[in-house]
Amino acid sequence: MANIQVELGQKLQLTIKRLGINGEGIGYYKKLIVFVPRVLPGEQVIAEVTKASPRFAEAKMTKIIKKSQDRIQPPCKFYDRCGGCQLQHLVYDKQLDFKKDLLKQALEKFKPQGYRQFELRNTLGMDEPWHYRNKAQFQLRYNAQTKRVEAGLYEMESHRLVAIDDCLVQEKDTQMVINRVVQLLNKYQIPIYDERKNSGILRTLMVRVGVATGEIQLVFITNSPKLPQKNALIREINQRIPEVVSIMQNVQSKKTSLIMGDDTIHLWGKEAIEERLNELTFDLSARAFFQLNPQQTSILYQEGIKALALKKDETVVDAYCGVGTIGLSVAKQAKEVRGMDIIPQAIENAKENAKRIGAANTHYETGTAEELLPKWFKEGFKPDSIIVDPPRTGLDDKLLQAIIQQPPKKMVYISCNVSTLARDLVKLATVFRVDYLQSVDMFPQTARCEVVVKLTRL
């Protein structure tokens, strides 16, 4: 077995070479790779080892010897503890450069056919890269020392909660609702779930705002269908937060990292809120997926539509369709749009959204893309184009095989994970030409990025 070259607590002097996939700095100690959060390329730092193995080490920066000119003071008072953001210490235009480089690193790792000739376009950023997230999912805990309920996010790679009352990447209304609801939870002494004891009821608060409409939905995520003082809570929320037009309860009784469960209960008001995007109006139910940054989503979808270059007589499949945002954005230009999603309520939203704009040329089904696309192929439906916007895990292998066996004339891949994108391009590049990759910064201050890829059948 290889020897471990460093020990826990050991202080290392490192020169940071580049940033890794999670925004952490990468340095080397006697050829051992060392990952250090909150540092920048070109910096010389002293770092204390927090994890040691034969192949790599992790460390925390304790002192900067030589500082990067791209380093800035993070404005968030929780940044040193909260795991939500990774790049607040990096000036914004360099964050955009990093996200393009991240894509380059992923392509160099997986090496899809012809990757050195791919056109990588500069990342499209925001003029004001703050207060952009339209949805907050804040975990709850009861602080035994203060005897108060607190809401917040976890520290990096831990289940230690950082109580947060002012998140700088959240839409201000979402934070306002969280803060006021926490006051009510304390007033009514609502039992908070404790995962170690597996006791208590209320686990998480979810708040989503329709930025264009101002409508707000509040979701209580609980460990059981019970919600003590439910009527009193609803009454006070009506009085103190009139912007909230929908109150729901979601039951997540499983021990899992998934925040929401399968069962959602309508408590008060509307069952879905409305949001507008690119002149279309969408219903958003509690579990329906919608991009977290509406301003950049408009740009992302415009880039997707531009890459699709749809003609009037062409058909398109919108895989992982959610509430139908992308497909409905191109419905007027298409002969037919078909979409699928695994969440039944999202499909119901998609159907309602299609009805609202009079898009009679749409067809939505509940199910996985890997099941439904081959089924449609067998039924004789052969789309001219396909647009995919999969989860971070990338395309399911069955779906990839179905696309490769019967490739449409063109394809657009919208990705939120450059690693799984590069992996999937290894197979896709055998039947498609990769025309270009356009990064869009959907998540400023974090290491995450969206990419639009234009693909044309060979």
Side-chain angles (χ1 to χ4, degrees):
M1 185 174 174
N3 292 327
I4 296 177
Q5 300 179 45
V6 295
E7 298 176 350
L8 291 179
Q10 185 176 341
K11 297 284 184 70
L12 310 177
Q13 182 168 332
L14 303 168
T15 299
I16 305 304
K17 301 297 185 183
R18 58 187 171 90
L19 295 183
I21 196 163
N22 296 309
E24 73 280 40
I26 293 176
Y28 294 88
Y29 178 77
K30 297 180 180 177
K31 296 186 179 180
L32 179 73
I33 190 168
V34 184
F35 299 104
V36 189
R38 309 293 203 250
V39 295
L40 296 175
E43 290 188 329
Q44 292 178 10
V45 302
I46 302 295
E48 182 180 328
V49 176
T50 56
K51 183 176 181 179
S53 76
R55 295 187 299 111
F56 69 93
E58 295 176 7
K60 62 179 181 181
M61 182 263 290
T62 59
K63 183 180 179 182
I64 301 176
I65 299 170
K66 178 187 175 187
K67 188 166 75 169
S68 168
Q69 61 183 12
D70 299 326
R71 177 177 285 276
I72 57 172
Q73 181 63 35
C76 176
K77 60 185 177 181
F78 306 105
Y79 183 61
D80 62 335
R81 292 177 292 136
C82 174
C85 295
Q86 300 83 40
L87 297 176
Q88 283 192 23
H89 60 291
L90 177 59
V91 68
Y92 186 57
D93 63 341
K94 296 299 181 183
Q95 290 186 30
L96 301 181
D97 291 345
F98 157 69
K99 293 181 182 189
K100 180 180 176 182
D101 184 63
L102 206 59
L103 179 57
K104 187 178 177 183
Q105 286 183 46
L107 292 171
E108 286 174 347
K109 178 182 177 182
F110 287 94
K111 297 178 170 54
Q113 184 176 304
Y115 75 97
R116 293 186 189 280
Q117 281 71 52
F118 291 175
E119 179 189 348
L120 305 187
R121 297 185 174 180
N122 291 335
T123 309
L124 300 174
M126 298 185 73
D127 292 334
E128 294 293 332
W130 302 99
H131 295 296
Y132 59 83
R133 287 180 64 99
N134 62 358
K135 184 169 80 169
Q137 292 182 147
F138 276 26
Q139 309 303 316
L140 297 168
R141 74 168 175 203
Y142 179 74
N143 188 323
Q145 290 182 317
T146 62
K147 294 183 168 47
R148 304 284 292 175
V149 177
E150 298 173 334
L153 301 172
Y154 291 127
E155 290 183 26
M156 284 185 291
E157 298 181 9
S158 85
H159 263 235
R160 294 187 299 272
L161 195 80
V162 180
I164 295 173
D165 59 5
D166 184 19
C167 178
L168 299 186
V169 295
Q170 283 293 150
E171 282 279 348
K172 292 181 181 179
D173 279 349
T174 63
Q175 185 71 68
M176 175 271 291
V177 173
I178 294 276
N179 292 348
R180 291 186 186 177
V181 172
V182 167
Q183 291 172 3
L184 296 178
L185 299 181
N186 280 301
K187 176 179 178 178
Y188 290 104
Q189 298 183 326
I190 308 299
I192 303 303
Y193 179 68
D194 184 324
E195 64 181 351
R196 283 175 297 183
K197 297 177 182 176
N198 194 29
S199 64
I201 292 175
L202 194 51
R203 303 171 71 123
T204 308
L205 293 178
M206 191 196 93
V207 178
R208 176 152 59 183
V209 59
V211 174
T213 64
E215 293 188 343
I216 297 175
Q217 182 175 70
L218 167 65
V219 183
F220 293 104
I221 301 171
T222 59
N223 187 48
S224 79
K226 295 179 183 176
L227 182 56
Q229 302 283 3
K230 175 173 61 181
N231 293 334
L233 277 173
I234 291 170
R235 185 171 59 250
E236 285 229 35
I237 290 165
N238 292 167
Q239 292 169 356
R240 297 181 59 182
I241 325 172
E243 299 92 340
V244 173
V245 300
S246 171
I247 304 177
M248 310 292 285
Q249 178 184 357
N250 178 268
V251 181
Q252 175 55 286
S253 57
K254 298 174 183 174
K255 288 190 173 182
T256 172
S257 59
L258 295 175
I259 290 176
M260 300 190 86
D262 295 332
D263 298 326
T264 303
I265 304 163
H266 177 220
L267 298 181
W268 175 86
K270 301 171 70 171
E271 291 196 38
I273 60 170
E274 292 184 355
E275 178 62 297
R276 286 194 291 272
L277 184 69
N278 292 342
E279 301 179 4
L280 299 177
T281 301
F282 298 96
D283 281 339
L284 305 179
S285 58
R287 291 186 64 223
F289 171 77
F290 193 78
Q291 295 281 2
L292 293 171
N293 184 337
Q295 184 179 333
Q296 288 295 86
T297 298
S298 178
I299 292 168
L300 181 76
Y301 289 174
Q302 286 168 15
E303 288 297 322
I305 293 165
K306 183 168 70 177
L308 203 58
L310 214 57
K311 295 175 183 173
K312 277 282 185 185
D313 60 343
E314 291 182 329
T315 55
V316 59
V317 166
D318 177 9
Y320 310 94
C321 70
V323 298
T325 42
I326 302 176
L328 294 176
S329 298
V330 298
K332 286 182 180 178
Q333 288 84 46
K335 179 181 177 183
E336 183 181 0
V337 175
R338 292 196 181 192
M340 72 281 277
D341 199 279
I342 60 171
I343 297 175
Q345 190 57 54
I347 290 297
E348 288 306 309
N349 290 158
K351 290 176 179 177
E352 287 297 318
N353 294 332
K355 191 185 297 182
R356 177 187 276 124
I357 66 168
N361 61 336
T362 58
H363 172 84
Y364 291 101
E365 277 188 53
T366 302
T368 64
E370 51 270 22
E371 291 168 347
L372 287 175
L373 194 61
K375 170 177 165 274
W376 292 345
F377 284 162
K378 285 180 183 176
E379 292 170 353
F381 176 73
K382 294 181 173 57
D384 297 296
S385 56
I386 182 168
I387 188 161
V388 296
D389 186 6
R392 291 185 63 77
T393 49
L395 296 179
D396 181 271
D397 199 53
K398 288 180 186 174
L399 176 59
L400 258 178
Q401 291 305 319
I403 293 170
I404 289 165
Q405 285 167 12
Q406 290 186 271
K409 289 188 291 186
K410 47 195 174 182
M411 177 175 174
V412 172
Y413 190 142
I414 298 177
S415 169
C416 60
N417 184 335
V418 294
S419 292
T420 54
L421 168 64
R423 179 203 68 197
D424 291 346
L425 285 177
V426 171
K427 292 183 178 178
L428 292 171
T430 63
V431 293
F432 291 101
R433 180 180 75 243
V434 179
D435 294 310
Y436 64 79
L437 300 95
Q438 174 67 69
S439 301
V440 179
D441 188 18
M442 293 285 286
F443 312 105
Q445 319 309 328
T446 79
R448 293 176 60 196
C449 189
E450 297 264 343
V451 183
V452 176
V453 187
K454 179 178 172 65
L455 300 146
T456 306
R457 189 174 66 201
L458 291 171

